[in-house]
Amino acid sequence: MVKFLNKTLDDWNELANKELKNKVSNGEQNLSWESEEGIQIKALYTKDDLEGLEHLNTMPGFPPFVRGPKATMYSGRPWTIRQYAGFSTAKESNAFYRKALKGGQKGLSIAFDLATHRGYDSDHPRVIGDVGKAGVAIDSVEDMKVLFNEIPLEQMSVSMTMNGAVLPIMASYIVAAEEQGVAMKLLSGTIQNDILKEFLVRNTYIYPPESSMRIISDIIEFTSKKMPKFNSISISGYHMQEAGANQVQELAFTIADGLEYVKTAKNNGLKVDDFAPRLSFFFAIGMNFFMEVSKLRAARFLWAKKMKQIFDPQNLKSLTLRTHCQTSGVSLTEKDAYNNIVRTTVEAMAAVMGGTQSLHTNSFDEAVALPTEMSSRIARNTQLILQNETSITRTVDPLAGSYYVESLTNSLIVHAEKLIDEILELGGMTKAIENGYPNKLIEQSAIKKQAKIDSEEEIIVGVNKFINENEKEFDILEIDNTEVRKEQISSITKIKNHRDEEKCKMALKSLTRAAKEKRGNLLELSIVAARERATIGEISYALEKVFGRYQENLNITKGVYKKSFSDNIKIEDIKQSIDNFTKEEGRKPKMLVAKLGQDGHDRGAKVIASSFSDLGFDTEITKLFLTPEELIEEANKMKPDVVGISSHAAAHMTLVTDFMNLSKFNENNYIVICGGVIPKKDINKLKNLGVSEVFGPGTNIINACYKILNLIKYGKKSNI
């Protein structure tokens, strides 16, 4: 062995190990820490950490696929560049897509508005503020034809993020392709179709779990027989991490969801190898770089292992986890927003190093509004630069063999498998969601993370440290919701005036009958209805007559925020202020936290309600999907000091305006505050309506609590 200054490499390693052990025993250096996933992370890893690891010495393209689903990975073909986009009308979205495709994008990822997600047509009174806001409004086949105008669907991979109204959207896409001259067997892409995740975090469901699982099974059956190039489901962990799940939870619950779908399809008579090769996955990629790389490697191992153990497929492709990834939305900050370009780049590199098959990179302005053409170009070019300027694509699994990455991959496998097995012991993911177990874990994780940020235990540059005092505003995309809705209603009226009404009614009746009698394939019957120009809302309602519309009540998680906040002095100080108020007034300060419209993103509302409750407020949280009129009724029942409206999907100007106008005639005297994704330009508009305070993304909850307490004590209440 080569000697260095009269010592061999082994001698130096032995000395280094002794030195590290001495530092630990003397307390000079904290050489390990526990991640939020409960994994012990060391400051130094050596070859000893790789001893006995089950997943080592595997090759890409072969089970258990830790190093990638294909042998050549990006050296054969780079990952597919996608941009998740959709806004306003089908016509405007189509123009945006065509420009993006010319700019280097390789596949389409369609974002639908919340009215569409929830199975309502644009003329429905419950969606006045949601039409065309957080995605494109689609009411019929005619809208879908415009959406894909001059985009050859036989050549284009199309990903559609749709779960609630999955039947009418899938049917309209198939019929639009037919009328473009493209047979359904030629269509390629993915429909998300992952309803369990909706009940767990995102809440854009329509029907109860059991009925929803039937829909999924029918889609898997139909596509496996008639659409061999199309992925029938994209099993999504993305929204779990966005809702606060740590990486072990995201990994475990996503794999458990996938196993549940396979079980459901198999129980309905399908053979695993007939559909499992077309299943795909979707993960979030956050800022914990090495954890995210290792998560994707661990996911492939766990899917192959669990599929083999439980279902024993004979086709190797049934064991292969293929995934799309998207950089994190929750890591984006409103403050000092240009920092988000760097964050997205780091996250994109983690996705690539982990071996994703396709990738969406978020635009830097998405913490404030829908992306502009300029910000989308920067996000898309981030991927183009990684593909063309870095040589990353030339080596398969370049971090393989890293002591840290391999050890972390193993830790994620061990921790996630333990959680998967707990879910399986409960009877699978549907049963687990029904008893609230995974929901509770995610909510606790989200609150813990918020407490760490608020106490500056976790640093967010530009938000709680290294603040930019000279921040300048930038242009954002604005959608005229009123005009979009007028256009959509006009289109719906035109369709209904020109269709064969009798044939349309017969098709919808057949769909309702099939749902009631539990026979026939619901996607096949939805396609028939779409051909007769039944709208998205009509097809959805034909099933709602039988299945009903699901409504979940939100819960407050107590004790987690206070316990997770590391600065006890700050906690005790705010609690003392609230206690003083309670003594003076003879009651606790009262706050009602609410969501308006069809926005089901409830992380912010839950975190606020739970943390304020911990700090001493008497807090209640409403059910989701309220109209302004319904919120007035809820406020009248509780008689709060403060009504806090959480907004995530750009409908605040319409819905809060309506609520404030109704409040003028309301005898109760309460303060109104707003929080969430609200552009700076809208803050003064809201305050002019009578809103007392607006809290944007990155708000410190302790500071917000002081402000709200002072508003209650000294501020003018909004009895306008």
Side-chain angles (χ1 to χ4, degrees):
M1 181 177 282
V2 176
K3 286 190 175 184
F4 298 90
L5 300 178
N6 298 319
K7 283 186 172 60
T8 66
L9 200 56
D10 286 342
D11 293 333
W12 285 115
N13 285 339
E14 187 177 345
L15 283 169
N17 280 327
K18 284 181 181 177
E19 174 125 4
L20 287 169
K21 286 174 183 175
N22 287 335
K23 286 188 175 182
V24 171
S25 61
N26 294 332
E28 291 179 33
Q29 196 172 351
N30 182 11
L31 293 173
S32 69
W33 53 280
E34 186 175 281
S35 75
E36 58 189 75
E37 293 78 16
I39 296 172
Q40 285 296 128
I41 308 291
K42 300 197 298 184
L44 179 68
Y45 286 81
T46 69
K47 64 180 180 181
D48 295 341
D49 293 294
L50 304 188
E51 192 172 335
L53 298 192
E54 188 181 0
H55 73 273
L56 291 182
N57 302 316
T58 62
M59 293 296 288
F62 295 91
F65 304 104
V66 175
R67 301 192 62 192
K70 292 187 177 181
T72 56
M73 286 302 286
Y74 307 141
S75 64
R77 188 179 73 180
W79 66 92
T80 301
I81 297 173
R82 293 187 182 276
Q83 288 301 101
Y84 178 56
F87 54 87
S88 187
T89 62
K91 184 178 180 181
E92 289 195 41
S93 294
N94 171 263
F96 182 89
Y97 296 153
R98 284 158 59 188
K99 282 182 183 177
L101 292 170
K102 285 181 181 178
Q105 187 173 311
K106 299 298 183 184
L108 294 178
S109 292
I110 313 301
F112 298 96
D113 72 358
L114 288 167
T116 306
H117 273 288
R118 295 269 293 144
Y120 292 116
D121 285 335
S122 297
D123 58 359
H124 198 285
R126 297 197 75 89
V127 299
I128 289 170
D130 298 297
V131 176
K133 273 293 189 182
V136 60
I138 298 292
D139 290 309
S140 68
V141 169
E142 294 303 319
D143 286 336
M144 199 69 85
K145 287 169 68 176
V146 173
L147 189 69
F148 295 117
N149 184 40
E150 295 186 29
I151 297 173
L153 290 176
E154 75 277 14
Q155 300 173 27
M156 184 57 55
S157 173
V158 176
S159 172
M160 293 181 285
T161 301
M162 178 53 65
N163 302 285
V166 63
L167 286 172
I169 285 296
M170 190 71 181
S172 297
Y173 165 67
I174 289 167
V175 174
E178 282 177 355
E179 296 183 11
Q180 198 186 83
V182 181
M184 66 177 77
K185 67 180 181 181
L186 299 177
L187 295 174
S188 65
T190 305
I191 185 77
Q192 191 164 93
N193 196 25
D194 177 9
I195 202 64
L196 288 176
K197 170 261 299 177
E198 299 298 326
F199 292 114
L200 191 56
V201 289
R202 190 164 170 256
N203 302 313
T204 54
Y205 43 68
I206 300 175
Y207 315 112
E210 186 179 347
S211 303
S212 299
M213 292 298 282
R214 179 190 167 184
I215 291 170
I216 286 171
S217 181
D218 280 5
I219 291 171
I220 291 173
E221 179 186 36
F222 184 92
T223 53
S224 64
K225 290 177 181 176
K226 299 187 178 183
M227 301 176 71
K229 298 169 70 176
F230 204 86
N231 299 323
S232 57
I233 192 167
S234 173
I235 303 146
S236 173
Y238 181 87
H239 301 97
M240 297 180 200
Q241 188 179 137
E242 292 291 280
N246 62 46
Q247 276 87 335
V248 163
Q249 291 167 353
E250 179 195 5
L251 177 52
F253 297 153
T254 305
I255 298 295
D257 276 353
L259 297 174
E260 186 83 344
Y261 293 133
V262 175
K263 180 179 76 174
T264 300
K266 190 170 181 289
N267 289 346
N268 287 340
L270 298 179
K271 293 179 180 178
V272 173
D273 286 328
D274 286 345
F275 66 87
R278 297 310 306 173
L279 301 179
S280 67
F281 288 77
F282 175 27
F283 286 103
I285 303 295
M287 285 298 288
N288 193 338
F289 183 87
F290 291 106
M291 190 73 75
E292 294 292 9
V293 171
S294 303
K295 181 184 76 183
L296 296 185
R297 302 173 92 247
R300 290 190 288 268
F301 178 92
L302 283 167
W303 181 249
K305 181 179 180 180
K306 290 300 181 184
M307 282 291 286
K308 186 64 179 172
Q309 282 179 348
I310 299 169
F311 302 107
D312 193 28
Q314 301 306 300
N315 185 345
L316 282 182
K317 290 183 178 179
S318 297
L319 304 176
T320 308
L321 183 148
R322 297 166 299 111
T323 191
H324 170 69
C325 288
Q326 181 175 338
T327 59
S328 174
V330 79
S331 72
L332 303 177
T333 64
E334 176 201 33
K335 295 179 180 177
D336 216 358
Y338 288 112
N339 288 340
N340 295 333
I341 297 172
V342 181
R343 293 186 179 104
T344 295
T345 303
V346 170
E347 292 166 351
M349 287 187 68
V352 171
M353 294 293 190
T356 189
Q357 278 58 72
S358 64
L359 178 62
H360 164 84
T361 34
N362 286 334
S363 301
F364 76 86
D365 50 0
E366 287 186 58
V368 181
L370 287 169
T372 63
E373 190 174 321
M374 182 272 285
S375 66
S376 294
R377 183 173 175 272
I378 292 171
R380 187 168 60 250
N381 283 355
T382 300
Q383 294 195 57
L384 290 171
I385 289 165
L386 289 177
Q387 280 191 0
N388 293 284
E389 297 186 25
T390 64
S391 295
I392 283 174
T393 59
R394 293 185 170 187
T395 301
V396 177
D397 193 19
L399 293 182
S402 155
Y403 299 145
Y404 180 35
V405 169
E406 298 294 10
S407 180
L408 199 51
T409 299
N410 180 68
S411 294
L412 282 161
I413 289 169
V414 171
H415 282 70
E417 187 170 19
K418 181 183 176 185
L419 191 48
I420 292 167
D421 289 341
E422 287 178 21
I423 297 295
L424 295 176
E425 285 171 15
L426 289 170
M429 203 60 175
T430 304
K431 295 286 186 187
I433 289 171
E434 284 173 355
N435 73 30
Y437 176 61
N439 313 59
K440 182 179 74 173
L441 292 182
I442 291 174
E443 286 163 21
Q444 289 175 348
S445 177
I447 295 166
K448 286 177 184 176
K449 187 172 182 66
Q450 185 64 47
K452 286 183 177 182
I453 293 170
D454 288 347
S455 61
E456 297 184 19
E457 185 180 341
E458 187 172 318
I459 301 301
I460 309 294
V461 174
V463 174
N464 61 3
K465 202 168 184 180
F466 312 113
I467 309 291
N468 180 1
E469 303 294 349
N470 299 304
E471 190 176 352
K472 295 179 180 178
E473 293 191 26
F474 49 84
D475 292 335
I476 63 170
L477 182 65
E478 297 183 59
I479 303 294
D480 186 342
N481 166 254
T482 306
E483 280 304 308
V484 174
R485 192 162 183 265
K486 280 181 184 176
E487 282 188 44
Q488 292 301 120
I489 291 172
S490 174
S491 176
I492 292 169
T493 303
K494 187 177 178 182
I495 289 163
K496 289 182 177 181
N497 287 340
H498 287 83
R499 70 189 181 187
D500 186 323
E501 197 64 31
E502 192 58 36
K503 285 184 178 180
C504 184
K505 283 181 180 177
M506 288 294 293
L508 291 169
K509 283 180 181 177
S510 296
L511 191 55
T512 301
R513 187 165 55 248
K516 187 175 183 179
E517 297 174 1
K518 297 184 179 180
R519 61 175 179 78
N521 186 286
L522 297 178
L523 176 55
E524 192 162 19
L525 291 165
S526 296
I527 292 169
V528 174
R531 286 188 185 123
E532 299 301 335
R533 289 324 190 248
T535 65
I536 302 298
E538 288 173 325
I539 293 172
S540 296
Y541 185 65
L543 297 169
E544 188 182 333
K545 286 179 181 178
V546 179
F547 297 154
R549 186 171 277 269
Y550 184 74
Q551 177 70 62
E552 181 184 19
N553 292 319
L554 304 185
N555 298 311
I556 293 175
T557 302
K558 297 186 177 181
V560 177
Y561 184 83
K562 182 173 66 174
K563 184 180 177 182
S564 304
F565 199 98
S566 59
D567 191 336
N568 288 330
I569 295 174
K570 284 185 178 179
I571 286 286
E572 290 308 314
D573 189 54
I574 185 62
K575 280 182 66 64
Q576 186 60 55
S577 296
I578 293 169
D579 287 344
N580 291 341
F581 176 93
T582 303
K583 288 174 185 175
E584 292 168 11
E585 299 290 330
R587 61 174 180 81
K588 292 181 177 182
K590 296 175 73 173
M591 181 162 72
L592 179 64
V593 179
K595 300 281 294 182
L596 286 175
Q598 300 305 304
D599 174 16
H601 295 88
D602 59 6
R603 173 182 178 167
K606 284 180 176 177
V607 168
I608 290 296
S610 298
S611 56
F612 271 67
S613 177
D614 264 13
L615 295 172
F617 270 64
D618 178 3
T619 310
E620 288 186 19
I621 187 167
T622 69
K623 63 184 181 181
L624 292 171
F625 314 124
L626 294 185
T627 63
E629 293 83 359
E630 289 166 340
L631 180 53
I632 290 283
E633 289 178 19
E634 291 292 317
N636 286 342
K637 287 178 193 172
M638 184 188 178
K639 296 181 171 54
D641 295 298
V642 180
V643 173
I645 301 172
S646 173
S647 174
H648 188 82
H652 52 273
M653 286 311 303
T654 302
L655 297 174
V656 175
T657 299
D658 287 352
F659 177 76
M660 298 306 292
N661 286 335
L662 289 167
S663 294
K664 292 177 183 178
F665 308 103
N666 185 50
E667 61 188 34
N668 289 304
N669 203 23
Y670 46 73
I671 290 165
V672 178
I673 61 172
C674 292
V677 182
I678 296 174
K680 290 179 182 177
K681 68 175 184 58
D682 289 344
I683 292 175
N684 284 335
K685 294 177 186 176
L686 290 171
K687 288 188 174 182
N688 288 337
L689 291 170
V691 173
S692 296
E693 191 61 71
V694 177
F695 299 96
T699 293
N700 182 292
I701 285 175
I702 299 292
N703 294 342
C705 196
Y706 277 117
K707 280 187 178 181
I708 291 167
L709 192 62
N710 285 330
L711 280 172
I712 296 170
K713 290 170 72 174
Y714 311 115
K716 184 180 178 182
K717 298 189 178 183
S718 65
N719 189 11
I720 306 167

